[in-house]
Amino acid sequence: MKFTEAQLESAIIELLEAEGYPHVLGEAIERQPQEVLIKADLRAFLAKQYAADHITPQEIEAVINQLEAYSAADLYESNKAIMKLVCDGFLLKREDHTQKDLYIQLIDTSGLVAFREPTPDQVPTIVAEDAATYASDSKSNNLFKIVNQLEITGYEKRIPDGILYINGLPLVVFEFKSAIREEATIHDAYVQLTTRYKRDIPELFKYNAFCVISDGV
């Protein structure tokens, strides 16, 4: 039985769902055709993550506006700048100028241990003389989505095979090629991602940290 690219896409989505990444069809996301952010997720994450700091809707919109303001025309510099914000965070000037600047991180890393805590057989064990105590880990506030069939209109309309979103940011783009099709090579997938997609929908690649190519093998 042939293993088609549609079956490959479905299988990888199922694997990601099993790891806790909800699957959403692109048509279910409320957005303009040229937009690549899931703004509702980014708003929800920032509102919850910084609720104790009383972040305002206007301050959240300022973050979104800044991300969108980076030009896709200078893709390398814009991607580098946005990845620095994602990795290092940034200071947000408060709407109330009497308040101290708010340090914002676009991804909550506090729950990484709880999200992927290895079993004893997966990693080496170091035994301390005294029992170590640790603060209890809480699950992060991050919002994950694996999205397929998302139509993006740039210079041309393109539909990436899959996009992994974290807090509304499209950080990973998937391109699937079936190993049973001799004419569909890994190089074809590479060209699709790094040439055609970057040329036709550069807005997506402002935020892209990784491109994943799979042939199902």
Side-chain angles (χ1 to χ4, degrees):
M1 184 177 69
K2 290 185 176 181
F3 192 62
T4 66
E5 286 173 8
Q7 291 172 313
L8 172 61
E9 179 179 313
S10 178
I12 291 179
I13 286 173
E14 286 182 14
L15 287 173
L16 288 168
E17 283 187 297
E19 293 297 324
Y21 298 86
H23 171 225
V24 179
L25 284 172
E27 63 186 20
I29 296 172
E30 187 174 341
R31 49 180 273 281
Q32 296 299 313
Q34 73 277 9
E35 292 178 343
V36 298
L37 292 175
I38 303 179
K39 294 181 183 179
D41 281 5
L42 185 50
R43 290 187 185 108
F45 167 75
L46 292 173
K48 184 176 182 180
Q49 184 75 354
Y50 297 100
D53 299 293
H54 306 291
I55 192 169
T56 69
Q58 290 82 2
E59 289 168 342
I60 291 173
E61 291 308 310
V63 173
I64 294 174
N65 291 339
Q66 179 58 58
L67 290 171
E68 291 190 312
Y70 286 100
S71 173
D74 191 354
L75 192 54
Y76 176 80
E77 290 299 327
S78 292
N79 179 264
K80 184 170 71 172
I82 290 173
M83 287 303 100
K84 185 171 178 61
L85 298 182
V86 171
C87 293
D88 299 342
F90 54 91
L91 292 175
L92 174 66
K93 296 288 184 182
R94 302 305 302 267
E95 186 180 355
D96 178 355
H97 298 297
T98 65
Q99 290 183 295
K100 183 181 177 181
D101 294 349
L102 182 58
Y103 177 53
I104 298 286
Q105 290 183 293
L106 294 170
I107 297 178
D108 177 12
T109 59
S110 64
L112 286 180
V113 173
F115 187 79
R116 170 63 172 84
E117 186 168 1
T119 59
D121 62 313
Q122 292 177 315
V123 293
T125 299
I126 297 176
V127 180
E129 292 183 3
D130 298 314
T133 58
Y134 301 92
S136 61
D137 289 307
S138 59
K139 290 185 178 179
S140 71
N141 290 324
N142 293 318
L143 300 172
F144 297 95
K145 281 186 173 70
I146 176 65
V147 179
N148 68 331
Q149 301 303 315
L150 184 73
E151 293 188 1
I152 302 171
T153 302
Y155 297 107
E156 299 286 344
K157 181 186 290 185
R158 293 291 184 182
I159 308 174
D161 288 342
I163 305 174
L164 179 61
Y165 278 87
I166 304 177
N167 302 331
L169 303 173
L171 296 181
V172 182
V173 178
F174 293 86
E175 180 65 21
F176 305 126
K177 295 296 180 188
S178 173
I180 64 170
R181 292 176 52 210
E182 293 183 2
E183 73 278 12
T185 65
I186 291 293
H187 182 260
D188 290 334
Y190 173 81
V191 171
Q192 179 88 330
L193 284 169
T194 62
T195 302
R196 300 190 191 102
Y197 282 4
K198 282 189 177 181
R199 177 193 63 208
D200 296 338
I201 48 172
E203 187 70 16
L204 175 64
F205 290 88
K206 282 174 23 180
Y207 307 96
N208 187 237
F210 303 98
C211 292
V212 177
I213 301 168
S214 177
D215 64 355
V217 177

